[in-house]
Amino acid sequence: MKKVLIVEDDPNISDLIQIHLNDLNYQTQVRNNGRLGFEEANSNKFDLIILDIMLPEMDGIAICQRLRALDNFTPILMITAKSEEIDKVIGLESGADDYITKPFKIREFIARVKAIMRRQDQFALLAEKDVKQMRFNSLEIDEKKRKVLLDQKRLELTPKEFDLLLLMARNPGRSYSRGELLELIWGYDFSGYEHTVNAHINRLRAKVEQDPNNPSFILTTWGVGYRFNDEL
C-alpha cells in the first residue's frame, strides 16, 4: 500500500485530499504544522509528500530544501495559494517534483498524484532490473546510490538535475527536445515551462563540465534540444 504524507494547515483541504487518496487505497497521514511535517517526513518512509508552501513554523520551501539536503528523495507535490510563475519555479528548483495551485480541481490533483506514483514505480523497476554504475572519462554515475562523482569528488545535484543526467547518460547520442524532457522528468506536459529545462541544464553543466560554455558531456542539438555525448 502506498503511503502519503499530507502537510497542510487548512483542515478543509487536508480532509478533502485525504478522502480522495484513501479512495485510491493509499495510506495517509496528516500534519498541519511545517516543523511536525518535516520531522515526520524525515523519520518515516513515504511514497509521496503533499506539501503546502505556506505553513506555520516552517514553510514548504524550507522543508523541501532540508529534505533534499539530507538525501531524502521522496517525491514532493507542492500545493499553494500562490499563482505567480516565480513561486512555481522556486518550488520546482528547491527539489519539488510537481506543483499545483489552489483552488484546484480534484481530478487534476489526482491525475498528478498518479503520474508521480507511476513514474516512481517505473524508476524503481529499472533500478531493480538494471542497476548501473556508469563511467564517462572523469564522470561517474551510480544509479542505485544516486551519486555522481567528477574527478573522484561527489557532486551535489538536485533530484531533477540527477534525473536529467541519468536519463541522457543512459541513452547517449539520443537528442531530447525540451518538451520530451518535461514529460519524462516532470511527469506530464508542463506546457510553457521549457525555460525550467534550460535552467536545470545550465546548472547541471555548471556542475559537471570543466567549461560550461564548451561542454563535453551534455551537448546541444541545435533546433532540437539536448543529448549526452556518445563519443566518450
Side-chain angles (χ1 to χ4, degrees), residues 181-196:
L181 292 174
L182 284 170
E183 173 68 24
L184 292 167
I185 301 301
W186 278 265
Y188 69 102
D189 183 15
F190 216 89
S191 180
Y193 286 85
E194 284 79 3
H195 62 280
T196 298

Side-chain angles (χ1 to χ4, degrees), residues 151-191:
D151 293 325
Q152 300 299 312
K153 295 180 180 179
R154 183 164 185 169
L155 301 180
E156 297 301 325
L157 303 185
T158 68
K160 284 293 178 283
E161 289 167 355
F162 180 86
D163 290 343
L164 280 168
L165 178 63
L166 179 61
L167 174 66
M168 291 189 289
R170 287 183 66 117
N171 301 279
R174 175 180 170 180
S175 295
Y176 293 90
S177 70
R178 292 165 183 81
E180 284 180 299
L181 292 174
L182 284 170
E183 173 68 24
L184 292 167
I185 301 301
W186 278 265
Y188 69 102
D189 183 15
F190 216 89
S191 180

Side-chain angles (χ1 to χ4, degrees), residues 16-17 20-21 24 77 79 98 100-101 103-116 118 188:
L16 178 66
I17 292 173
H20 285 279
L21 293 183
L24 295 174
L77 172 59
I79 179 170
D98 202 353
I100 192 168
T101 303
F104 54 84
K105 295 181 179 179
I106 196 65
R107 290 181 64 182
E108 180 187 3
F109 174 81
I110 293 301
R112 296 195 184 194
V113 168
K114 288 182 175 179
I116 291 174
R118 185 165 56 249
Y188 69 102

Side-chain angles (χ1 to χ4, degrees), residues 13-14 44 59 70 121 130 136 138 144 175 180 190 219:
I13 295 177
S14 62
N44 296 287
D59 65 68
L70 293 169
D121 288 343
D130 191 20
F136 305 93
S138 58
K144 187 173 183 179
S175 295
E180 284 180 299
F190 216 89
L219 309 181

Side-chain angles (χ1 to χ4, degrees), residues 1 11 45 47 97 142 144 187 191 195 206 211-212 220 226-227:
M1 181 179 291
K45 182 175 177 56
D47 297 286
D97 294 80
D142 187 320
K144 187 173 183 179
S191 180
H195 62 280
D211 180 3
T220 298
Y226 302 101
R227 70 185 189 279

Side-chain angles (χ1 to χ4, degrees), residues 11-223:
N12 293 322
I13 295 177
S14 62
D15 288 349
L16 178 66
I17 292 173
Q18 190 171 30
I19 288 170
H20 285 279
L21 293 183
N22 288 342
D23 286 343
L24 295 174
N25 293 321
Y26 294 165
Q27 181 180 339
T28 57
Q29 291 189 34
V30 178
R31 295 292 181 269
N32 59 8
N33 173 289
R35 177 181 57 81
L36 295 177
F38 170 76
E39 291 173 357
E40 184 69 27
N42 193 44
S43 302
N44 296 287
K45 182 175 177 56
F46 293 92
D47 297 286
L48 175 64
I49 300 171
I50 309 296
L51 181 61
D52 191 13
I53 286 186
M54 303 302 291
L55 293 164
E57 295 196 37
M58 184 185 297
D59 65 68
I61 297 292
I63 293 172
C64 186
Q65 291 173 333
R66 289 186 64 179
L67 289 175
R68 297 316 190 212
L70 293 169
D71 287 342
N72 184 325
F73 299 110
T74 303
I76 293 175
L77 172 59
M78 280 195 166
I79 179 170
T80 181
K82 293 185 176 181
S83 60
E84 290 82 358
E85 181 175 323
I86 186 63
D87 295 310
K88 298 180 182 181
V89 172
I90 290 173
L92 292 171
E93 293 182 357
S94 68
D97 294 80
D98 202 353
Y99 187 111
I100 192 168
T101 303
K102 304 174 191 174
F104 54 84
K105 295 181 179 179
I106 196 65
R107 290 181 64 182
E108 180 187 3
F109 174 81
I110 293 301
R112 296 195 184 194
V113 168
K114 288 182 175 179
I116 291 174
M117 293 293 195
R118 185 165 56 249
R119 187 166 70 254
Q120 288 303 113
D121 288 343
Q122 291 170 347
F123 276 124
L125 186 61
L126 285 173
E128 290 177 3
K129 289 185 175 180
D130 191 20
V131 175
K132 287 186 177 180
Q133 288 183 313
M134 294 176 282
R135 185 182 183 100
F136 305 93
N137 295 336
S138 58
L139 183 69
E140 300 176 59
I141 303 172
D142 187 320
E143 289 191 34
K144 187 173 183 179
K145 295 181 179 179
R146 293 181 66 88
K147 181 172 68 174
V148 179
L149 301 177
L150 183 65
D151 293 325
Q152 300 299 312
K153 295 180 180 179
R154 183 164 185 169
L155 301 180
E156 297 301 325
L157 303 185
T158 68
K160 284 293 178 283
E161 289 167 355
F162 180 86
D163 290 343
L164 280 168
L165 178 63
L166 179 61
L167 174 66
M168 291 189 289
R170 287 183 66 117
N171 301 279
R174 175 180 170 180
S175 295
Y176 293 90
S177 70
R178 292 165 183 81
E180 284 180 299
L181 292 174
L182 284 170
E183 173 68 24
L184 292 167
I185 301 301
W186 278 265
Y188 69 102
D189 183 15
F190 216 89
S191 180
Y193 286 85
E194 284 79 3
H195 62 280
T196 298
V197 173
N198 295 341
H200 277 75
I201 291 291
N202 289 338
R203 285 198 303 274
L204 185 56
R205 281 175 168 169
K207 295 177 180 180
V208 305
E209 304 285 1
Q210 290 186 348
D211 180 3
N213 294 319
N214 186 28
S216 300
F217 301 112
I218 303 169
L219 309 181
T220 298
T221 302
W222 298 108

